[in-house]
Amino acid sequence: VILTYNALPDMPSEAGIAFIWNALPSAYRLALNTNSGSVNDGLGEQRLNWIRGDQSREGTTLGTFRIRNTSLLGDIVNSNPQFVGKPAGGFIGSDYVDFTATWAARLPMVYVGSNDGMLHGFSAADGTEKLAFVPSRLMSTWSRLPDQGLVHQYQVDGSPIIRDAKVNGAWKTLLVGALAGGGPSVFALDVTDPGSFSESAGKAAALVQW
């Protein structure tokens, strides 16, 4: 499940959307199609698939993308992994007591930012990735990530902060992340229920708060 955020005028409204080619607004597709030489080479969908983990176009010949030998996960430099288990507690009120009881046995997760351009969420039970979020602020860098001669730059380099919060009358567990060295941007995700993470339009919109 890989999501991003649409904040562009050619879509009906700002919302979380799936990070898949057909779900992206035209400006995002154009950014992926534009190579590091500022030429529209039409390889945007292949670049997006590479970012998602597809290794079929990796190689060393002209027109291929850089090879990831050891891991699809990018480097983690300044982002500290954060564990999220049952709700933390500490608030009063019967509605919060109900909230903690409802989610006491939810899947424990670990969230961390990476310089592959994503905030990653892994199951703390078995290490499988359950969620990734690609901040739209990094749109101009997406097409350079598969380049053979990539020069390292910071992307999602901030440490996420996770807190329970009451939003519009309902308790949620919210994650607030930042690019830090990657740029001036923050984002919020609803990570209350890892079992609901999905690329479907409705669930993607609900998961990405802003």
Side-chain angles (χ1 to χ4, degrees):
V1 176
I2 306 179
L3 307 177
T4 188
Y5 186 73
N6 169 66
L8 296 174
D10 65 340
M11 298 289 278
S13 62
E14 294 189 12
I17 56 175
F19 190 66
I20 56 177
W21 187 252
N22 291 335
L24 297 183
S26 58
Y28 290 13
R29 294 197 296 269
L30 177 61
L32 284 159
N33 272 323
T34 304
N35 65 25
S36 55
S38 300
V39 174
N40 187 332
D41 59 12
L43 295 177
E45 187 170 7
Q46 290 91 335
R47 289 191 178 92
L48 181 144
N49 291 336
W50 182 94
I51 294 170
R52 289 185 61 94
D54 177 22
Q55 296 186 274
S56 63
R57 286 186 61 89
E58 292 183 4
T60 57
T61 59
L62 184 66
T64 58
F65 301 144
R66 64 182 174 90
I67 297 172
R68 294 166 288 188
N69 286 316
T70 57
S71 174
L72 297 178
L73 181 66
D75 60 288
I76 298 168
V77 179
N78 295 309
S79 182
N80 294 317
Q82 302 295 316
F83 173 81
V84 181
K86 64 183 180 181
F91 296 99
I92 61 173
S94 59
D95 54 348
Y96 187 70
V97 172
D98 291 342
F99 173 78
T100 58
T102 298
W103 301 111
R106 68 185 172 189
L107 179 69
M109 296 284 294
V110 173
Y111 297 95
V112 65
S114 170
N115 293 303
D116 56 16
M118 298 183 184
L119 180 285
H120 296 276
F122 301 98
S123 163
D126 61 14
T128 57
E129 186 163 10
K130 299 296 184 182
L131 175 70
F133 177 69
V134 186
S136 54
R137 174 79 183 193
L138 297 170
M139 176 180 66
S140 63
T141 73
W142 292 344
S143 67
R144 298 199 295 270
L145 291 173
D147 281 0
Q148 297 283 3
L150 177 72
V151 176
H152 182 274
Q153 64 183 93
Y154 292 110
Q155 297 269 320
V156 186
D157 200 47
S159 300
I161 295 173
I162 297 96
R163 298 286 188 273
D164 296 334
K166 197 171 188 178
V167 181
N168 296 326
W171 283 99
K172 299 179 179 182
T173 301
L174 296 184
L175 178 153
V176 175
L179 306 190
S185 182
V186 294
F187 54 88
L189 309 177
D190 179 357
V191 296
T192 306
D193 179 13
S196 70
F197 296 163
S198 170
E199 291 180 341
S200 69
K203 290 188 175 181
L207 194 152
V208 185
Q209 301 288 286
W210 42 264

